Amino acid sequence: MAAPVSSNDQRSSHDDDEFTLNHTGSQEPLLAGRISEDAGLIQLETEDESAANKDFIKISRLLYTSHFLSTWNNRVFEFGAFLFLAGAIPNTLLPASIYALSASASAVIFSQWIGQRIDSANRLSLIRQSIFGQRLAVAAACAVLSLLAWVPSLTNDPVALAGALTALVAMGVVEKVCAVTNLISVERDWVVIVAGGDESRLRRLNSLMRRIDLFCKLMGPLAISLVDGVSPKVAILVTTGMTLVSLPVEYFAIARVYKAIPALRIPKDAPSRDDTVLGLTARMSSWARATTTNFKWYTSHHVFLASLSLALLYITVLSFSGPMTVFLLALGVPSGALCGIRGVSALFELSATWIAPRTMKRIGPVRSGIWFLNWQAFCVTAACLCLWLDVPRIWAATGLVCTVALSRLGLWGFDLSAQFLIQDEVAEPDRGRFSTQESALQNLGEMVAFGSTIIFSRPDQFRYPAVMSAGAVGLAAILYATFVRGRRGHLVHWEKCACYSRHDN
């Protein structure tokens, strides 16, 4: 007697028959349906990716707009303040020196507070506060400079002059703190989140943000110096006008980025501390403990050596800034030629924003960093030799200009490589305090470089600060090589070199 066939067995048998039939005779319609369905899914995914790329481009442009306006106004005022002070109080560098040292010192002193705010405050509120504070400080400083320009007799009154300089230094401190807060927040926090974990997007954002920085660094001072050449009073008014007009545009552009990226609205894990209830002594003690704790944490981080190497590069006079410009003028280089030299240098700097991302994509940020840094070390060493060799002044100036311009490619290539490493390996809740510790060291390096030109103030002594600059780059290269060896276990693939040698033989 045959065993009864269950309904499950019947369905299984029917399915097998259907599979056999389709497999042998009528599979085409079924496959066509599946292929059509897969093609539809692929098309939907492609459309989604295309829409996401369009959204990313729109958001990136808003971020670039905000960053450009912030950086442009910062560079214009930073350079313009020296021009306006020199015009109001001629024949002395003391006021400008006091102003510059105070601004750099403020970035060091307030680094712990800035880092705490970046890691704990609402992102949009913090950025808006920095924008508003920066613009108000510049407008107030320009008002003081206008008084000195329109009422020259104030410079003959020691009390009035001291009051004006005190106000300028105070506004310079506020502007510097707000500018550092904005820069670190956007370049080390917002950019990473906008990239959304996509390394290619992050490299592109980093390179374009640095391109904006370098463009503003070149064109901002050039633009305000041209206006100042026509009329210092008009230059002050132009600086004030640009500052106030750009405020609402930057203010709302960054808000649209914030609303478009949900991850930016996620509250931060780092707790916000409120020391307002403490007395002055207790507050100072708390600040000192927090500063010491943060610095110890910073030095123990596994990317500390890479960060320190980057900070050491700020101890330099071998750049087309104030000290080297004054030295070249003393050598007899015409001021018109200096504008051309700055332009050529800017081309090398901008080229790094194209070369560095491609190099990092090919060999990785760790290896690209050591290649760029070694190139810079080679160029600044050659620049020092130009100052110490017994050659005609025109040859010394030509060699110095060429080697320093070439070194800028290595500087900004390493800057982008190190920045990518730090963005990738510093946890989100710690980005603020890490970057502000690094920024404090960078500003300290600038203070050292500026102090060296005060000590060795004569043009024939410029070679001594230049040697110090080359030494700082050499030390940075050694420290970064130590970092690379610790990370990869080696600096050179000796086994590949040996293999190539055997192959050649």
Side-chain angles (χ1 to χ4, degrees):
M1 182 177 179
V5 180
S6 68
S7 59
N8 290 337
D9 291 338
Q10 289 176 346
R11 282 194 297 270
S12 177
S13 176
H14 177 73
D15 292 341
D16 291 342
D17 291 341
E18 183 179 25
F19 172 78
T20 304
L21 178 63
N22 288 331
H23 182 69
T24 56
S26 60
Q27 190 182 12
E28 288 80 3
L30 182 59
L31 278 177
R34 289 177 180 174
I35 291 172
S36 176
E37 182 180 353
D38 291 343
L41 290 173
I42 292 171
Q43 183 178 0
L44 287 174
E45 290 177 357
T46 304
E47 290 176 354
D48 290 342
E49 289 177 1
S50 178
N53 286 331
K54 289 181 180 178
D55 291 340
F56 173 73
I57 292 172
K58 291 178 181 178
I59 294 167
S60 299
R61 287 173 178 170
L62 290 169
L63 190 64
Y64 299 148
T65 300
S66 174
H67 186 60
F68 170 78
L69 292 174
S70 177
T71 307
W72 176 267
N73 283 285
N74 173 254
R75 292 297 186 181
V76 166
F77 175 72
E78 186 179 61
F79 189 79
F82 289 99
L83 290 179
F84 305 148
L85 278 172
I89 312 171
N91 303 321
T92 177
L93 290 175
L94 184 60
S97 300
I98 293 173
Y99 176 85
L101 285 173
S102 299
S104 296
S106 67
V108 177
I109 294 170
F110 291 104
S111 62
Q112 188 269 331
W113 179 81
I114 294 172
Q116 178 186 322
R117 292 284 294 160
I118 291 173
D119 288 336
S120 61
N122 176 271
R123 287 186 173 92
L124 182 59
S125 297
L126 182 65
I127 287 290
R128 282 181 161 177
Q129 289 168 13
S130 70
I131 294 170
F132 197 67
Q134 190 179 14
R135 298 297 179 270
L136 282 184
V138 171
C142 286
V144 175
L145 290 166
S146 297
L147 282 175
L148 293 176
W150 264 273
V151 189
S153 59
L154 289 176
T155 59
N156 299 323
D157 184 348
V159 176
L161 183 59
L165 290 177
T166 301
L168 278 176
V169 167
M171 292 304 100
V173 166
V174 173
E175 195 276 337
K176 183 71 172 182
V177 170
C178 290
V180 170
T181 302
N182 189 298
L183 183 69
I184 293 176
S185 295
V186 172
E187 290 194 347
R188 294 294 176 88
D189 186 30
W190 284 61
V191 164
V192 180
I193 294 173
V194 170
D198 189 319
E199 289 191 2
S200 63
R201 285 183 175 181
L202 183 57
R203 282 194 295 267
R204 177 173 175 78
L205 283 169
N206 282 337
S207 60
L208 284 171
M209 296 289 274
R210 184 62 70 233
R211 207 169 295 162
I212 290 170
D213 291 342
L214 295 173
F215 176 82
C216 294
K217 180 183 177 182
L218 171 68
M219 297 306 298
L222 180 61
I224 199 62
S225 62
L226 291 175
V227 179
D228 183 74
V230 176
S231 171
K233 295 178 181 179
V234 172
I236 296 173
L237 293 177
V238 168
T239 302
T240 307
M242 285 192 299
T243 293
L244 297 178
V245 168
S246 65
L247 173 59
V249 180
E250 183 181 358
Y251 200 81
F252 291 106
I254 201 70
R256 290 185 63 186
V257 177
Y258 181 80
K259 291 178 181 178
I261 305 293
L264 290 170
R265 302 194 294 272
I266 298 175
K268 299 179 183 179
D269 297 331
S272 179
R273 296 182 53 187
D274 184 9
D275 292 338
T276 56
V277 297
L278 299 176
L280 178 60
T281 303
R283 201 178 306 172
M284 292 295 293
S285 177
S286 175
W287 173 84
R289 287 196 302 271
T291 301
T292 303
T293 300
N294 284 340
F295 188 73
K296 287 181 178 178
W297 171 83
Y298 170 68
T299 57
S300 64
H301 199 280
H302 60 274
V303 292
F304 163 67
L305 287 179
S307 176
L308 179 60
S309 299
L310 180 60
L312 284 170
L313 301 185
Y314 284 75
I315 307 176
T316 186
V317 297
L318 296 176
S319 65
F320 295 98
S321 56
M324 185 168 154
T325 299
V326 172
F327 172 72
L328 291 173
L329 288 171
L331 287 182
V333 179
S335 58
L338 284 177
C339 291
I341 291 168
R342 286 179 63 93
V344 172
S345 175
L347 291 178
F348 280 102
E349 293 177 348
L350 288 170
S351 69
T353 63
W354 278 280
I355 296 172
R358 288 166 173 77
T359 306
M360 284 189 281
K361 185 177 180 180
R362 185 175 181 83
I363 63 175
V366 176
R367 291 174 63 193
S368 68
I370 199 165
W371 282 103
F372 283 118
L373 190 51
N374 285 340
W375 172 256
Q376 188 188 4
F378 172 78
C379 290
V380 296
T381 301
C384 282
L385 288 176
C386 293
L387 296 174
W388 285 88
L389 292 175
D390 186 15
V391 295
R393 301 176 81 181
I394 186 62
W395 289 109
T398 302
L400 177 66
V401 164
C402 292
T403 50
V404 170
L406 289 170
S407 75
R408 310 309 283 174
L409 172 61
L411 169 65
W412 294 111
F414 177 73
D415 178 273
L416 284 168
S417 300
Q419 180 173 312
F420 186 90
L421 276 172
I422 293 165
Q423 288 172 331
D424 186 53
E425 301 193 22
V426 176
E428 181 180 336
D430 298 323
R431 285 176 192 151
R433 62 170 175 162
F434 186 95
S435 296
T436 48
Q437 292 295 318
E438 179 183 272
S439 176
L441 288 181
Q442 291 172 357
N443 281 279
L444 190 61
E446 290 180 348
M447 292 172 65
V448 171
F450 193 79
S452 70
T453 57
I454 293 176
I455 297 172
F456 302 102
S457 57
R458 297 200 313 269
D460 62 323
Q461 295 177 323
F462 182 76
R463 56 184 178 177
Y464 298 113
V467 169
M468 179 197 69
S469 303
V473 176
L475 179 58
I478 292 171
L479 292 176
Y480 189 73
T482 304
F483 167 78
V484 173
R485 183 174 176 81
R487 176 64 61 89
R488 303 177 67 228
H490 60 273
L491 291 175
V492 180
H493 290 286
W494 294 111
E495 66 281 1
K496 291 186 179 181
C497 295
C499 180
Y500 294 146
S501 177
R502 287 194 301 269
H503 179 74
D504 292 339
N505 292 332

